[in-house]
């Protein structure tokens, strides 16, 4: 009991400085500059209302800047979504380590990645990492210098997509809308896809409910993995295999 209260207090004290932004994409070709083909905000704050349209690609109270760039990505390759505390931060300043929770990535096929708002249907989750062996997905991203590895499925159709990378911090998630959701959308053009599968899709907002067990959770007093496994919010679509 005592330990968990101290832990929570330490986290609260460090929250203001600790948010994060998916600000850069690395492909097998190169690491693109900060904000290249990604709609980045200047303020690194979270979204907290899972029913808000800004859950798709961020937005007020963290207004994002559009980009007219599109990054070419090969189906089947692994890209890195690079996370930083601010647009100026280095690899040793990814996010406050008190921010613990799942990491995931979604795709949505669009006709014009530079213009599509992302709001609405068409999204499918292609990567997720929750809690295992005492580590959260966020711990692993921080420890790898901000790199979230995302394998682009081989089986999907070619074309323009929004790639939405997300990290969720659960330190305040014991009350409704206390989870902090961080996300940005990258604009990509996928080539070399086999077009053998059409994944089931979902809407954003709509992928999460505020009382999902993975979003309304006291990770300090009921640590996942001890009383029950952690349930990552949103449905993962396993598209491996052809
Ligand atoms: C996407 O890639 C294809 C194949 O290389 C290319 O023909 C097309 O112009 C690209 N589209 C964009 C928007 O970059
Ligand atoms: C996804 O499906 C493949 C092939 O059916 C399987 O080998 C793999 O374990 C699955 N991965 C996950 C994370 O469920
Ligand atoms: Cu934060």
């Amino acid at each position: 009991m005592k330990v968990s209260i101290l832990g929570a207090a330490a986290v609260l004290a460090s929250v203001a400085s600790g948010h994060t932004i998916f600000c850069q994409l690395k492909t097998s070709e190169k690491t693109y500059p900060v904000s290249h083909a990604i709609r980045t905000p200047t303020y690194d704050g979270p979204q907290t209302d899972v029913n808000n349209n800004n859950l798709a690609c961020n937005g007020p109270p963290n207004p994002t800047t559009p980009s007219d760039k599109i990054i070419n990505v090969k189906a089947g390759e692994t890209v890195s979504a690079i996370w930083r505390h601010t647009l100026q931060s280095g690899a040793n300043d990814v996010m406050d380590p008190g921010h613990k929770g799942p990491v995931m990535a979604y795709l949505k096929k669009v006709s014009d990645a530079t213009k599509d708002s992302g709001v609405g249907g068409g999204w499918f989750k292609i990567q997720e990492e929750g809690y295992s062996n005492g580590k959260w997905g966020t711990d692993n991203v921080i420890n790898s210098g901000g790199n979230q590895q995302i394998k682009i499925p081989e089986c999907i159709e070619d074309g323009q997509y929004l790639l939405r990378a997300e990290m969720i911090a659960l330190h305040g998630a014991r009350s409704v809308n206390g989870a902090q959701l961080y996300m940005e959308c990258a604009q990509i053009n996928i080539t070399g896809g086999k077009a053998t599968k059409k994944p089931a899709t979902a809407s954003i907002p709509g992928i999460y409910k505020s009382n999902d067990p993975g979003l309304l959770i006291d990770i300090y007093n009921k640590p996942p993995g001890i009383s029950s496994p952690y349930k990552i919010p949103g449905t993962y679509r396993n598209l491996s295999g052809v």
Side-chain angles (χ1 to χ4, degrees), residues 70 72 160 189 191:
I70 295 180
N72 285 308
Q160 296 185 35
N189 181 36
T191 58

Side-chain angles (χ1 to χ4, degrees), residues 39 44 50-51 59 95 97 127 148 155 178 190 197 202 206 211-212 217 221 229 241:
R39 304 160 186 187
D44 59 358
V50 299
N51 299 312
M95 179 168 68
Q127 183 260 343
Q148 175 188 1
C155 64
I190 296 180
K197 282 188 189 168
N211 63 354
D212 278 345
I217 181 174
N221 285 313

Side-chain angles (χ1 to χ4, degrees), residues 22-34 36-38 69-74 77-82 147 188:
F22 159 38
C23 61
Q24 234 176 324
L25 192 69
K26 179 182 177 195
T27 70
S28 54
E29 296 275 307
K30 62 191 260 194
T31 302
Y32 290 86
V34 169
H36 183 101
I38 305 179
K69 304 290 195 296
I70 295 180
I71 292 175
N72 285 308
V73 172
K74 293 182 201 73
E77 77 164 297
T78 296
V79 301
S80 282
I82 300 178
N147 280 257
I188 64 173

